[in-house]
Amino acid sequence: MTAVSPLFRAAGRLVSPGGSKGKLTILTYHRVPADIDPLLSSDQVDAQKFAKHMRAISECFNVLPLPQAIEHLERGTLPARALSITFDDGYQDNYTIALPILQRHGLKATFFVCSGYLNEGLMFNDVIVEALRACPSADLNLSWLGLGQIPVHDLVSKRLASEKILGAVKYLPFSEREEACGRLWQSAVPGKERPRLMMTDEQIRKLASLGMTIGGHTHTHPILNRLDLDSAREDIALNRRMLGALIGQEPVVFAYPNGRPVRDYGHEHVKLLKELGYQSAVSTAWGVATQSCDRYQLPRFSPWDDNPRRLVLRLFKNALLGQRPLTAPDAS
Ligand SMILES: [Zn+2]
């Protein structure tokens, strides 16, 4: 990468200029497993790929902490090739695997944390994956989920099964989804303890003390559009209070769970965030943030390339073409 970096940097200044025409690329990561996990999606970023990403990004982009980058974007003082790195949910491997790689390159990142799963918790998607991973049976009777008898005898069938179950429960009302995941766990691995995948309180405090940004991501990761507004307010406010108590300062940036504008959250949630004291928020709509973007619905991008050059070219293409991101319109 190093030999071509000057060329890439020059090209990057054209597609991602600074100043009043500034563009901010915001990357989203989730889990960063030590090795490729056959039960996770094929576009996962493991330790090796993440290290390649960070090396290429530190050579070709100006990486800024997200809150500062947003301030620069608004004031028209962003540097060219501006980029911020974010992680959603609060996975422990963000601390054990990703943090040392970030530190090696002197990079700061933002971690959007669901307070309800810290320490011992497990998010519903992981309950499904981990239940299937540990399931010793050849098949599972999931007719109560409308899925019938499904095979789970090897990694391929477990992966297929987890996608089917995820599709069946993802948009259920929150309590029904929790109940379905609990029932799945009991039928797949009765009595087994759930593995620990999320960060501890102490790890969150350590991240903050190292100059990393901690952002809000709700307490229990509900799809906000599936909740009544009062419950959404309670969940978002509780998350902000709990993170504030942990790190001594309430977070100012927020990421919507699942994050797809219109489908997963609406403009009423944008208003909620303002009411509750948040200063900006990110969605999962793909695009690049410009001065004309709603600072409470900034788009992000999730690169998956293994090849560093292809990664940088993809980020440039996003900076060039991703300027009209999807947002939840203000209907009031
Ligand atoms: Zn999330």
Side-chain angles (χ1 to χ4, degrees):
M1 193 71 204
T2 312
V4 296
S5 295
L7 199 65
F8 273 64
R9 281 197 287 266
R13 270 194 297 278
L14 293 175
V15 296
S16 183
S20 60
K21 292 197 165 64
K23 291 181 191 172
L24 173 64
T25 298
I26 309 171
L27 300 186
T28 316
Y29 292 99
H30 287 88
R31 278 171 87 163
V32 185
D35 298 298
I36 291 287
D37 184 332
L39 291 184
L40 297 183
S41 77
S42 54
D43 57 5
Q44 66 186 281
V45 176
D46 69 337
Q48 211 186 10
K49 198 188 274 189
F50 185 73
K52 287 184 190 173
H53 281 197
M54 293 306 109
R55 178 159 185 223
I57 282 162
S58 64
E59 287 179 7
C60 297
F61 287 87
N62 290 306
V63 178
L64 301 160
L66 184 62
Q68 281 94 315
I70 295 170
E71 291 307 315
H72 281 298
L73 178 68
E74 294 218 321
R75 274 190 256 122
T77 53
L78 261 188
R81 295 173 280 107
L83 182 145
S84 293
I85 301 160
T86 71
F87 295 84
D88 282 10
D89 302 333
Y91 284 105
Q92 180 140 249
D93 58 25
N94 294 175
Y95 185 89
T96 54
I97 309 268
L99 176 65
I101 298 171
L102 290 167
Q103 287 178 309
R104 203 184 304 154
H105 295 285
L107 301 173
K108 295 282 191 276
T110 294
F111 297 82
F112 292 109
V113 174
C114 282
S115 38
Y117 300 105
L118 288 174
N119 306 303
E120 311 289 330
L122 199 56
M123 298 197 17
F124 83 96
N125 48 304
D126 297 312
V127 174
I128 297 170
V129 168
E130 299 308 324
L132 294 174
R133 194 193 306 280
C135 180
S137 322
D139 45 33
L140 269 179
N141 184 350
L142 296 177
S143 37
W144 55 275
L145 258 183
L147 298 174
Q149 191 89 6
I150 55 173
V152 291
H153 60 277
D154 62 4
L155 286 173
V156 175
S157 59
K158 284 178 187 222
R159 169 89 201 279
L160 271 175
S162 81
E163 278 169 13
K164 275 190 196 158
I165 300 167
L166 202 63
V169 307
K170 191 169 191 173
Y171 284 95
L172 286 178
F174 180 76
S175 56
E176 282 178 43
R177 190 176 76 184
E178 290 293 292
E179 204 182 301
C181 288
R183 189 166 171 187
L184 170 73
W185 187 270
Q186 278 317 315
S187 57
V189 276
K192 189 175 161 64
E193 215 177 297
R194 295 180 179 189
R196 179 179 258 196
L197 292 184
M198 312 312 282
M199 281 192 272
T200 61
D201 291 351
E202 195 44 46
Q203 287 168 331
I204 299 290
R205 272 194 288 265
K206 188 79 203 295
L207 283 180
S209 76
L210 291 168
M212 302 290 166
T213 305
I214 304 300
H217 195 41
T218 70
H219 187 63
T220 56
H221 209 275
I223 308 273
L224 294 172
N225 269 351
R226 300 283 159 140
L227 273 189
D228 63 81
L229 205 55
D230 283 339
S231 307
R233 181 185 287 109
E234 259 172 50
D235 200 286
I236 297 169
L238 176 60
N239 175 240
R240 191 160 190 256
R241 274 201 310 275
M242 288 189 73
L243 294 178
L246 255 184
I247 60 172
Q249 195 178 8
E250 296 202 332
V252 294
V253 285
F254 178 86
Y256 301 94
N258 231 46
R260 181 84 177 158
V262 183
R263 187 191 65 189
D264 298 333
Y265 72 89
H267 208 271
E268 64 273 31
H269 303 113
V270 171
K271 282 192 212 146
L272 254 186
L273 294 186
K274 289 181 190 172
E275 242 178 74
L276 292 171
Y278 275 107
Q279 292 171 10
S280 53
V282 293
S283 71
T284 54
W286 276 15
V288 69
T290 61
Q291 258 187 343
S292 63
C293 285
D294 180 348
R295 75 181 283 163
Y296 285 87
Q297 300 191 70
L298 297 172
R300 292 189 285 174
F301 192 67
S302 297
W304 61 90
D305 296 277
D306 194 47
N307 179 301
R309 289 191 182 94
R310 217 169 285 155
L311 164 77
V312 173
L313 289 174
R314 195 179 303 283
L315 296 179
F316 287 172
K317 188 175 167 196
N318 176 60
L320 195 63
L321 304 176
Q323 294 182 60
R324 289 187 199 286
L326 181 68
T327 54
D330 185 358
S332 63

